[in-house]
Amino acid sequence: MLRSVILAASRSSRVERLVETAPLTRDVVHRFIAGVTADDALHTTRDLVGSGLAVTLDHLGEDTVTPDQATAIKDEYLAMLAALGGAGLTPAAEVSVKLSALGQKFDEQLAYDLARQICVAASNAGTTVTLDMEDHTTTDSTLEILAKLRLDYPTTGAVLQAYLRRTEADCRELATLGSRVRLCKGAYKEPESVAFQSALDVDKSYVRCMNILMSGEGYPMLATHDPRLIAIGEDRARWFDRSPDAFEFQLLHGVRPDEQLRLSGEGYTVRVYVPYGTDWYGYMMRRLAERPANLLFFARAVKSR
Ligand code: FAD
């Protein structure tokens, strides 16, 4: 119920204006994002890579409405990839891209063209791109664009969301040689017709999808903070004889940092998803919706003012 309310608020421009101007916002936002500038993101990336973690950088922004906005976001990615390459942070750091930020909702061809330019820049910088997955109305389009990009840039990563009923079938399609697939639970408010609604059903689907990916031929990227799913991931790695460099765990910046270091200390590849930029509202609201403790953190910040 609370999750639904917060996710609904994440789509409201009125609530967005209220939250953005609230005095507490800075502290809360800085827990989850690296900062607003590219320099902030590079600084955080350097620290994380220095402590043995891999990174995927997300330039915040989604649902752009003009070609100029979409092109500006593509330019941000190109500049960031050049900076990462120049700083010797590749291939440890890659980038995550939301196609809706590149115009997918009004011009799919434009989104493909811009994503392709980001793949070219990533390849020149010696690293890769992962296409984030957004709400279910975009899944087919995102997987189609992924398939086209992978013809020339086969390491382009996909994201599949365990809460969608279709995802087991998508995992089977994508568990092929050379394919990189991030498996997450899913962060959007989705109707029962397309998505499991109970946490238990989502978790069970996650395990079924994980089994398909870990027993397949691709490179699974297990994105979760859930201790039980992480333990099952470690178990499946042993069961399917996957060495620590044949799959990875992924966690969000600011979430369970001790666990990030513990897993890395065990020898696993651990990639931290690091968002940066000014357009943080939708991202932060999805994080608040995921976990009541994040809301408590939010409330404490209000009280302390
Ligand atoms: P949850 O069900 O949120 O939490 C399960 C358990 O994990 C909790 O009970 C608790 O024990 C532990 N836990 C969770 N958060 C915390 C915390 N802050 N502190 C301590 N313990 C905690 N979603 C998309 O829809 N598209 C994407 O492209 C996408 N990319 C992602 C990339 C990465 C690297 C990650 C980690 C997530 C991504 N997500 C994406 C978000 C994802 O779908 C989930 O919404 C999010 O990860 C929360 O699910 P969870 O698996 O962590 O489990």
Side-chain angles (χ1 to χ4, degrees):
M1 168 69 178
L2 189 56
R3 179 173 182 269
S4 300
V5 172
I6 300 172
L7 287 177
S10 76
R11 294 277 181 199
S12 157
S13 49
R14 233 174 105 216
V15 181
E16 179 173 355
R17 276 193 301 278
L18 274 174
V19 172
E20 279 182 351
T21 51
L24 67 123
T25 293
R26 221 185 124 77
D27 301 350
V28 180
V29 168
H30 277 246
R31 174 172 170 186
F32 296 108
I33 74 164
V36 292
T37 68
D39 275 351
D40 295 332
L42 277 171
H43 183 78
T44 301
T45 302
R46 210 173 271 121
D47 283 353
L48 291 167
V49 171
S51 58
L53 300 165
V55 166
T56 185
L57 272 168
D58 164 39
H59 182 266
L60 288 164
E62 48 200 276
D63 294 340
T64 57
V65 289
T66 69
D68 284 352
Q69 279 177 331
T71 303
I73 289 186
K74 178 268 295 174
D75 288 340
E76 290 279 356
Y77 274 104
L78 265 45
M80 176 51 77
L81 283 161
L84 289 172
L89 291 168
T90 55
E94 60 140 44
V95 294
S96 282
V97 174
K98 284 188 176 50
L99 289 176
S100 79
L102 302 180
Q104 180 186 36
K105 295 226 170 123
F106 60 88
D107 186 345
E108 281 186 30
Q109 181 63 38
L110 175 72
Y112 165 72
D113 290 341
L114 298 178
R116 192 182 159 82
Q117 290 180 49
I118 296 173
C119 289
V120 173
S123 169
N124 290 340
T127 192
T128 49
V129 177
T130 295
L131 299 184
D132 281 349
M133 192 58 87
E134 302 179 68
D135 72 74
H136 81 279
T137 63
T138 65
T139 309
D140 281 327
S141 156
T142 299
L143 292 179
E144 278 160 27
I145 291 176
L146 173 87
K148 283 206 283 175
L149 292 171
R150 286 194 63 211
L151 293 176
D152 289 327
Y153 299 96
T155 57
T156 308
V159 178
L160 296 177
Q161 298 153 316
Y163 65 13
L164 293 186
R165 297 177 192 276
R166 60 177 284 168
T167 292
E168 264 185 85
D170 289 333
C171 284
R172 276 193 198 92
E173 281 282 306
L174 285 174
T176 53
L177 199 63
S179 165
R180 296 166 64 245
V181 182
R182 176 194 300 159
L183 179 65
C184 63
K185 288 190 186 180
Y188 297 80
K189 180 168 165 43
E190 299 288 16
E192 193 171 358
S193 53
V194 299
F196 300 111
Q197 303 293 308
S198 80
L200 179 64
D201 284 342
V202 175
D203 290 356
K204 286 195 318 202
S205 169
Y206 194 105
V207 175
R208 290 194 299 272
C209 293
M210 183 178 357
N211 289 341
I212 295 167
L213 295 176
M214 293 293 273
S215 62
E217 294 190 80
Y219 180 82
M221 304 185 280
L222 305 179
T224 182
H225 312 107
D226 193 323
R228 282 183 314 165
L229 294 179
I230 290 174
I232 295 172
E234 293 181 89
D235 175 74
R236 295 306 187 268
R238 284 188 291 272
W239 183 258
F240 293 115
D241 247 344
R242 279 195 179 258
S243 58
D245 61 349
F247 77 106
E248 67 188 44
F249 288 108
Q250 297 193 344
L251 294 93
L252 299 177
H253 178 59
V255 181
R256 303 198 72 203
D258 294 348
E259 179 66 358
Q260 297 172 11
L261 292 174
R262 182 194 73 79
L263 287 167
S264 165
E266 297 283 324
Y268 296 113
T269 303
V270 179
R271 191 175 300 279
V272 183
Y273 185 103
V274 178
Y276 72 99
T278 52
D279 195 359
W280 44 259
Y281 176 75
Y283 179 86
M284 195 192 76
M285 294 302 270
R286 288 195 292 278
R287 300 295 75 81
L288 291 180
E290 275 155 17
R291 189 168 154 82
N294 290 344
L295 269 174
L296 284 178
F297 175 78
F298 195 79
R300 269 202 301 274
V302 180
K303 258 182 87 186
S304 65
R305 300 253 152 195

